[in-house]
């Protein structure tokens, strides 16, 4: 009576493939923790120190649509940059401003009587970017 080793070999090969796949999956799990070594193929990016002074996404309850929330975020960026330029302050002023100030400044930035589209968000972004670039340039000197 002879026994074939083919089924045993096939089972061993299947076990090897399954264990290799699970190891590969674990190696590809992204992590945002910068102190952990991540593989080069990871898409996770650690937060930059400059992000600490970046206006965060507004809370959902600030406005009913993302369009309005993004506009208020741009307005807050403008207010902060204007204050930095006026006071010639190169420190982070983010903690001195609130979402209520952005809401209160709406009349200044209003371009329409439509309550769902009271401003042009792209124009606000452009203005905020330009002012922040001026702050960066002034603080580099």
């Amino acid at each position: 009576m002879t026994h074939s080793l083919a089924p045993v070999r096939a089972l061993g090969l299947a076990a090897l493939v399954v264990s290799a796949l699970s190891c590969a999956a674990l190696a590809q799990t992204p992590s945002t923790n910068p102190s952990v070594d991540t593989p080069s193929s990871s898409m996770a990016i650690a937060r930059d120190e400059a992000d600490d002074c970046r206006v965060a996404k507004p809370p959902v309850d600030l406005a009913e649509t993302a369009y309005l929330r993004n506009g208020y975020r741009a307005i807050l960026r403008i207010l902060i940059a204007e204050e930095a330029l006026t006071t010639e302050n190169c420190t982070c002023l983010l903690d001195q401003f609130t979402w209520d100030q952005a809401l209160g400044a709406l009349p200044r930035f209003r371009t329409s009587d439509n309550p769902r589209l009271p401003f042009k968000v792209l124009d606000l972004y452009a203005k905020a970017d330009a002012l922040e670039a001026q702050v960066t340039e002034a603080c580099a000197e």
Side-chain angles (χ1 to χ4, degrees), residues 84-127:
L85 288 169
T86 301
T87 62
E88 298 179 357
N89 190 338
C90 291
T91 62
C92 181
L93 300 175
L94 183 58
D95 60 345
Q96 298 176 21
F97 288 84
T98 65
W99 291 113
D100 288 337
Q101 288 172 291
L103 293 172
L106 175 61
R108 181 175 149 205
F109 298 99
R110 183 178 294 276
T111 59
S112 165
D113 290 333
N114 183 345
R116 296 190 59 87
L117 302 169
F119 39 65
K120 296 178 181 173
V121 173
L122 293 179
D123 292 350
L124 292 175
Y125 281 169
K127 183 174 179 109

Side-chain angles (χ1 to χ4, degrees), residues 5-89:
L5 292 178
V8 174
R9 286 184 183 157
L11 185 60
L13 179 61
L16 180 64
V17 168
V18 168
S19 66
L21 288 175
S22 63
C23 289
L26 288 173
Q28 296 297 319
T29 303
S31 170
T32 56
N33 185 349
S35 65
V36 175
D37 290 333
T38 56
S40 61
S41 63
S42 173
M43 294 300 289
I45 299 173
R47 286 184 61 91
D48 191 5
E49 286 181 20
D51 286 347
D52 291 340
C53 195
R54 185 173 167 216
V55 176
K57 287 184 179 181
V60 175
D61 60 351
L62 184 68
E64 65 180 289
T65 65
Y67 183 87
L68 292 173
R69 289 190 300 272
N70 288 335
Y72 291 133
R73 181 180 187 208
I75 289 172
L76 194 60
R77 288 175 54 208
I78 291 168
L79 296 176
I80 292 169
E82 287 175 343
E83 180 67 18
L85 288 169
T86 301
T87 62
E88 298 179 357
N89 190 338

